[in-house]
Amino acid sequence: MQELENAILRTKSKKSSGLDSLPSCVVKDAFPVLKDIYLEIFNTILANGLPEIWKVAIVTPLHKKGDMDCVGNYRPISNLSSLSKVFEKCVLGRLNKYDVGQNQHGFRQSHSTTTAMMEVQSTLADSMDEGMFTSIYSVDMSAAFDLLRRDTFYENLKDELDPGLMWTLLDFLNDRKFMVKLNSSESSQRNLDRGCVQGSVLGPALFSLYCKKLDGILTNAKTTSYADDSYIITSEKTMEKLIESTISTMITHFQFLDGLGMIVNKAKTELMILEAKKDIKIPSSIKVLEQDIPVAQSMKVLGVLIDHKLKWAMHMNELVKKVNRMISRLKIIRPKLSEQQFLQVTTSQYFGKLNYGIAVWYDSLLKKDKRKLDTLHYRALRVAVRDWRRELPRDMLDTLGRARPLTFANYSLGSIIINAYSTGIPERLSTFIRRNQYTRRRSSEILLYDSSRKKVGRQSIKNRMMSIMNTMDQKWTTLQGKNNIRRFLKKTFFK
């Protein structure tokens, strides 16, 4: 019953529904009265399998952009049974006890795109600091979630998962169907013979388990993944060895994905070689399995642009262009909204883009770029209060309650530190924090992490984390609960 109650608490009240026409808001509201019936239904399903109606997805095409007559311009939205999703949450709770791989940051507690980006950035920074030649690449997989093979899933995981749980997962994946609904028109039902279940709760976790063995196969490289996005970092002492090692790693990677039934577009593989030393010629491309892979001077890692010198000027230039376009749109909608409504829109859309991944790159910006970021921050607030002539001082704009970039970056990193310390995940960050926090308690001096020899300085996540840990009151190590952590961080950084 506790599993069921936790699953209901995590269920959002929505009006959309699957083929059973039962929205989640009804499922959730009826729980106090029908909880015993829910429990009986779920136990029956665990013994006998999912009902057919739960295995049918209603797909609604949502227009994204461009020609409305072009199928490629639509995003498929898959609606499943709401009660089925509650059941999936119960199963996911049991599945989370199994390791999906230490390098996977997607769909895991205390992991996010930010922790994945931090791991990539710090790995690159440490390699550069040690004078190593370093490459990073990512592969382009077409419709990766739709290509999971049920027989391969079973063969890869039959010795790791409990037999009863494995049977439930295979039953969940098998005999899936879908139908397309547009306005009042409906298609006939079609079979799905492979793939994760789009729109499901279990799908992402199953995909992570499916690709889990990649960590053990690429033994000469460091892998960081978020869902189906993987970034592979290779380091060697010479450029010749780096190219040889990178080619070998790519071939192994491509063969592994091919064995899983994935379709890899080798021509769209992104590769970057970092400039660790001056006067070293970086090749313009490398050949892998008869395919020329160009070497770029920059690449996006989960939406953040990193260049071959591990600098952030290119990311800032792109960010400035993006948010400047948004400012003009905000000015158009401002007269139609109240100040509070406008701030809500601005927070989710404008500041969401401006501050995305800020814990990763803010500390390493040049001073002029930090000033530029502050200007962009206050531009949106001036639109909110209609200060077209820029007459109001920034202190007055701060009363609108939107954190400055520096404050938000420190708050974000502080949150990651406290969560990693209290939960033990992500494991690599947690191990570093606990080790250094123990050393700090035994010393009255402010500590830094080998900062005397670090050429990359605060590009090293270890340096930045020690800096934040020195700022926070010692009681942060005893904090429990999201609300208590949030209050502590606001008191520490929102001054």
Side-chain angles (χ1 to χ4, degrees), residues 171-357:
D171 176 64
F172 172 78
L173 290 169
N174 287 327
D175 302 319
R176 304 297 307 200
K177 297 180 180 180
F178 76 97
M179 58 185 290
V180 178
K181 184 176 182 180
L182 183 60
N183 299 324
S184 58
S185 301
E186 296 180 355
S187 72
S188 59
Q189 295 184 12
R190 303 293 180 88
N191 293 323
L192 285 170
D193 61 351
R194 64 178 62 188
C196 295
V197 182
Q198 294 286 355
S200 68
V201 175
L202 279 172
L206 297 183
F207 182 84
S208 297
L209 282 169
Y210 189 60
C211 299
K212 173 185 172 181
K213 290 189 176 180
L214 179 64
D215 297 352
I217 289 175
L218 303 183
T219 54
N220 295 324
K222 171 71 175 66
T223 305
T224 300
S225 301
Y226 186 88
D228 59 338
D229 292 316
S230 293
Y231 300 91
I232 316 301
I233 300 174
T234 306
S235 297
E236 295 290 350
K237 293 183 178 180
T238 66
M239 181 63 74
E240 291 75 15
K241 286 186 176 181
L242 175 66
I243 294 173
E244 181 182 332
S245 181
T246 301
I247 293 174
S248 174
T249 300
M250 280 189 178
I251 292 173
T252 303
H253 193 176
F254 293 156
Q255 290 173 344
F256 170 78
L257 294 175
D258 184 62
L260 292 180
M262 301 293 175
I263 299 174
V264 180
N265 190 339
K266 299 182 182 66
K268 289 188 177 181
T269 297
E270 292 186 80
L271 169 64
M272 182 175 71
I273 296 178
L274 273 68
E275 188 180 287
K277 298 178 182 179
K278 294 181 178 180
D279 303 323
I280 297 295
K281 186 178 180 181
I282 297 176
S284 59
S285 65
I286 63 173
K287 188 178 287 292
V288 181
L289 298 175
E290 304 304 319
Q291 176 69 54
D292 285 326
I293 308 292
V295 178
Q297 292 194 331
S298 65
M299 70 180 293
K300 277 196 173 182
V301 176
L302 297 172
V304 172
L305 193 62
I306 296 179
D307 72 12
H308 69 296
K309 295 183 179 180
L310 208 54
K311 303 294 184 182
W312 302 99
M314 293 180 70
H315 176 71
M316 274 301 300
N317 289 338
E318 186 177 90
L319 183 61
V320 168
K321 291 178 182 177
K322 188 183 297 182
V323 296
N324 274 337
R325 287 195 297 268
M326 294 188 68
I327 283 289
S328 60
R329 297 169 191 162
L330 291 175
K331 288 180 179 178
I332 294 172
I333 67 171
R334 178 62 187 94
K336 302 175 183 178
L337 302 173
S338 68
E339 183 176 300
Q340 189 59 38
Q341 289 172 331
F342 180 81
L343 285 173
Q344 289 176 349
V345 171
T346 306
T347 299
S348 62
Q349 301 298 318
Y350 183 86
F351 290 123
K353 285 185 171 59
L354 188 68
N355 294 327
Y356 176 69

